[in-house]
Amino acid sequence: MHEFSIASEIVRNVLDVAEKNSARKILSIRLDIGELSLINVEQVAHWVQALFKGTMAEGAEVKIKTIKAAVQCQSCGYKGRNIPDSRDIVQHFAAFICPKCGSPGVKIEKGRECMLRKIQAER
Ligand SMILES: [Zn+2]
């Protein structure tokens, strides 16, 4: 039920922002979800739409953008995008070795986020 709690958080934020901006109806929202976040995006979209029912956001379109992963080595500055197996890195993160210098100090810079980017509303 990880996706459900993420969705409730998103819905709470959307309705909160909409209210503060005196929106009447929400047309669409956009979410950025990192490919390393291990979030099932279809499930998040499903729960968001389910929780929108009965609110001013009912029927709003849920757009999701997948953010590609990016890593950077803390020792040599190597930057990479093409990660052999994303799930492997998340699960065995400590063992992720820099392909250039062999240092284990590789940090994930992008790809773990899950955020609300845009709300399109009607006033
Ligand atoms: Zn390195």
Side-chain angles (χ1 to χ4, degrees), residues 73 75-78 98 100-103:
C73 175
S75 311
C76 73
Y78 165 85
C98 172
K100 200 177 162 196
C101 73
S103 154

Side-chain angles (χ1 to χ4, degrees), residues 3-119:
E3 279 78 9
F4 180 76
S5 54
I6 291 167
S8 344
E9 182 76 27
I10 291 164
V11 169
R12 206 166 40 233
N13 282 334
V14 169
L15 296 176
D16 195 46
V17 172
E19 210 166 291
K20 279 180 187 147
N21 290 285
S22 32
R24 275 193 305 117
K25 185 167 173 53
I26 293 166
L27 305 172
S28 73
I29 63 162
R30 208 192 91 195
L31 309 171
D32 281 1
I33 298 185
E35 63 179 348
L36 299 180
S37 63
L38 298 184
I39 295 168
N40 181 321
V41 291
E42 284 84 23
Q43 268 188 45
V44 171
H46 165 82
W47 283 118
V48 167
Q49 266 157 349
L51 291 165
F52 272 169
K53 284 208 176 104
T55 73
M56 68 166 106
E58 181 162 353
E61 194 188 344
V62 179
K63 299 173 190 168
I64 295 178
K65 190 180 168 199
T66 307
I67 304 299
K68 291 258 179 243
V71 297
Q72 183 170 15
C73 175
Q74 303 292 285
S75 311
C76 73
Y78 165 85
K79 277 189 184 182
R81 284 191 138 267
N82 299 326
I83 301 163
D85 190 338
S86 317
R87 277 175 192 269
D88 231 40
I89 293 169
V90 176
Q91 274 153 21
H92 313 284
F93 182 46
F96 184 53
I97 305 288
C98 172
K100 200 177 162 196
C101 73
S103 154
V106 176
K107 213 179 110 198
I108 295 178
E109 286 207 307
K110 268 203 293 191
R112 297 179 112 179
E113 55 273 84
C114 170
M115 55 185 150
L116 182 62
R117 263 285 187 235
K118 215 166 154 187
I119 300 173

